[in-house]
Amino acid sequence: MRKVEVCGVNTAKLPVLGNEEMRELFYAAKAGDKEARDKLVKCNLRLVLSIVQRFGSRGENPDDLFQVGCIGLLKAIDNFDLSLNVRFSTYAVPMIIGEIRRYLRDNNTIRVSRSVRDLAYKALSARDQLAAEKGREPKIAEVAERLAMPADQVVFALDAIAEPVSLFEPIYNDGGDPIYVVDQVKDEKAGDQLWTEQLAIANALAALNEREQKIIGLRFFVGKTQMEVAEEIGISQAQVSRLEKNALLRLRKYV
């Protein structure tokens, strides 16, 4: 029967309306007919359910997501412009998805300040407006100009509300063993290239004399200034500078 119950609603028994009947209900709802509005909600609950199923891997309670999606549906019904030459579902789907994503962001385990979230939501709204006006995806600079905000702040806010991805999120599966995000992450600290570079540096340092090794070690591995190195070794800063320069020239021949 393909029966699915969400929040006590048996979706197999929900009505399905044609475009003309939907249009008549919208005219009636806009005129204040509450029954027509309720009927519009009921006949579009399957749309909400289909969108909720996209977020099934998030581990969220489907009843909660369904209720949040219904809020997005109500907003879509109340704001739908009948003069637009588009199907209601085309208009409603982004609003329902946006409402669910907003709920997931606000209930994220990573806490983001209210001011940053508000700026991010304004940036998303401005991006949608610019996309509709220009017929293409706007650049960050254009979004920042619309908001009269620095571009780096807009980027920071959008990054802050980005949903975290699990390292064990499957990204590909051809019927065998799936490939996870962790399989695509490169360990920069244990790579073959880094190991060979470290080996080359160690061999190059071994070619220096004891004083040059100490100067290079204190300057680039300990982080001391030339003046501090001069005081520790007991020579002038000018001598340290000269010895360091010669040592680096010799190192470049090996690395």
Side-chain angles (χ1 to χ4, degrees), residues 6 17 25 80 119 145 152 208:
V6 181
L17 303 179
L25 287 173
F80 183 59
L119 175 57
E145 184 180 357
D152 58 342
L208 303 178

Side-chain angles (χ1 to χ4, degrees), residues 11-187:
T11 56
K13 297 181 179 179
L14 293 174
V16 179
L17 303 179
N19 289 336
E20 284 303 318
E21 192 173 0
M22 284 269 289
R23 198 168 187 82
E24 291 176 4
L25 287 173
F26 267 112
Y27 279 118
K30 296 289 184 183
D33 189 335
K34 292 184 179 180
E35 290 186 5
R37 185 173 181 268
D38 290 343
K39 194 170 183 180
L40 281 172
V41 173
K42 288 181 180 179
C43 71
N44 283 286
L45 288 180
R46 287 186 179 183
L47 180 63
V48 177
L49 177 63
S50 67
I51 295 171
V52 167
Q53 290 173 337
R54 302 183 189 182
F55 298 88
S57 61
R58 300 300 178 88
E60 293 286 336
N61 188 313
D63 282 4
D64 292 343
L65 296 183
F66 186 78
Q67 291 180 58
V68 174
C70 287
I71 294 174
L73 174 62
L74 289 170
K75 290 181 178 180
I77 289 173
D78 293 339
N79 294 293
F80 183 59
D81 188 351
L82 289 166
S83 64
L84 297 174
N85 189 26
V86 296
R87 295 171 61 90
F88 172 69
S89 58
T90 304
Y91 176 80
V93 166
M95 294 198 72
I96 297 171
I97 291 176
E99 199 68 30
I100 293 175
R101 284 179 174 169
R102 190 175 298 111
Y103 166 79
L104 293 173
R105 286 194 295 262
D106 290 347
N107 289 273
N108 203 314
T109 53
I110 300 176
R111 308 309 299 172
V112 180
S113 69
R114 172 71 62 179
S115 59
V116 173
R117 280 208 311 267
D118 289 345
L119 175 57
Y121 295 152
K122 290 178 182 177
L124 292 173
S125 178
R127 185 190 65 183
D128 293 341
Q129 292 174 5
L130 288 167
E133 294 172 7
K134 299 178 178 293
R136 61 172 174 81
E137 185 71 16
K139 299 178 180 178
I140 287 292
E142 295 172 329
V143 175
E145 184 180 357
R146 173 65 63 92
L147 296 175
M149 295 288 292
D152 58 342
Q153 290 188 23
V154 174
V155 172
F156 176 79
L158 291 174
D159 286 344
I161 65 169
E163 299 169 4
V165 177
S166 170
L167 288 175
F168 296 97
E169 181 83 15
I171 57 176
Y172 177 75
N173 192 342
D174 62 352
D177 293 335
I179 296 177
Y180 299 98
V181 173
V182 69
D183 297 324
Q184 303 296 306
V185 177
K186 182 180 179 181
D187 185 0

Side-chain angles (χ1 to χ4, degrees), residues 230-249:
E231 292 177 358
E232 184 167 333
I233 296 179
I235 59 178
S236 68
Q237 185 269 331
Q239 287 179 297
V240 170
S241 177
R242 179 176 56 80
L243 290 170
E244 178 187 315
K245 182 178 180 181
N246 290 336
L248 291 175
L249 287 173

